[in-house]
Each structure stands twice: as structure tokens, then as C-alpha cells.
Amino acid sequence: MPRINYRSSDVDLMARMMRAEAEGEGKQGMLMVGNVIVNRVKADCLDFKDLRNVNDVIFHVQGGNFSFEAVQKGNVFYQRARSAERRLARQNLEYWREHPSKYSLWYFNPYAPCPPTWYGQPHSGQFKQHCYYEPKAGTCDSVYKGA
């Protein structure tokens, strides 16, 4: 059973985002970004209450801007999905979850050491240049449930 319901168009969209946001961090880095996308679909809390599919997450607008920098800037995100990234996206959608992104809803590259919190949310770890952040305890139980 997959972590979330999805269509082939979701795989392509997610693959494009994973590549655009983390290609320089290799397969593991792209999987971490993909995990955050799936976690946001699963989340029924905080800024993610009305996001129910991959498209909703990718094109989510917060504070007048898209949540993901790659959507705003264009760059690699608007290129066709490649088979290698589609395979990684399917892994995320089906089963893949690992620390530090396992329960994370946020990540960013600070171009400096990771701050201990990000918008009040605790730092869960770092992979290469990206810092990952989980929701504070008791604020988003849906991220911790199930697969």
C-alpha cells in the first residue's frame, strides 16, 4: 500500500521537483526532498491542512510566494522528468522514509550552519547542504502516523 494515493502525473511532477531542489545532493538528497513532499500531503495540520495531493503541495502558495523556490525561479523544475528521478519519486510515494527527513515538513539551504529552529519548528538533522525540520511535538500527529 502506498504512503499516499497518486497518479503517474504526480510521479512526474514530484520527480521534477526533487531534481530541481536537490540534484546536487545525489539520490539520497532527492529522496529527502521527496519525503518532505509526501509528508506535506499526509499532514493535516499547520500550513498544510488543505493539501491533499502532490500537485497541491508543489504549487502551494504561502505569504504570496510558492513554497518551493524551484517553482518561483523556473530553472530545472520546468524541464521534463527523467526516468531516474521518476524511480526515486515512486520510492517516496510507496515506502521510502529516512532520517533526517522522515517526519520533516520543511527544509532549506541556509548557506551557513543549520539554525536550531525554523519558524519555531525543531531541527531534525542535516543532509549535505539542506537542513530539515519536523513539527513541534503535539502539533501535527498526522505526519507521524502510518507508513
Side-chain angles (χ1 to χ4, degrees):
M1 177 177 211
R3 293 183 60 213
I4 60 170
N5 293 325
Y6 65 93
R7 303 173 304 201
S8 63
S9 60
D10 294 324
V11 174
D12 285 348
L13 184 60
M14 198 163 133
R16 290 174 26 216
M17 181 57 68
M18 292 163 67
R19 177 181 175 201
E21 291 278 320
E23 182 177 31
E25 297 192 350
K27 291 178 182 179
Q28 190 80 358
M30 288 188 281
L31 284 166
M32 301 259 177
V33 166
N35 193 62
V36 169
I37 294 167
V38 174
N39 285 347
R40 287 183 179 189
V41 174
K42 291 181 69 68
D44 190 18
C45 58
L46 307 167
D47 294 333
F48 312 107
K49 287 182 182 175
D50 297 322
L51 307 180
R52 293 293 141 245
N53 57 56
V54 171
N55 190 75
D56 289 350
V57 169
I58 301 294
F59 295 105
H60 184 215
V61 174
Q62 293 176 290
N65 294 308
F66 288 109
S67 296
F68 293 100
E69 191 174 287
V71 177
Q72 283 177 247
K73 292 186 175 180
N75 66 24
V76 178
F77 175 67
Y78 291 101
Q79 296 178 14
R80 182 176 299 183
R82 300 184 304 191
S83 60
E85 286 85 21
R86 281 195 299 269
R87 278 192 300 275
L88 295 173
R90 278 190 201 91
Q91 279 183 257
N92 281 121
L93 292 160
E94 290 290 333
Y95 64 88
W96 194 92
R97 290 181 100 165
E98 287 187 23
H99 178 78
S101 70
K102 187 170 186 174
Y103 302 114
S104 295
L105 291 174
W106 304 272
Y107 67 88
F108 82 110
N109 180 347
Y111 301 98
C114 296
T117 61
W118 179 246
Y119 292 102
Q121 307 302 325
H123 180 240
S124 60
Q126 180 174 354
F127 183 78
K128 294 192 178 182
Q129 299 301 312
H130 281 107
C131 305
Y132 291 86
Y133 296 84
E134 296 182 4
K136 280 192 281 190
T139 63
C140 194
D141 292 341
S142 55
V143 172
Y144 299 96
K145 291 181 182 175

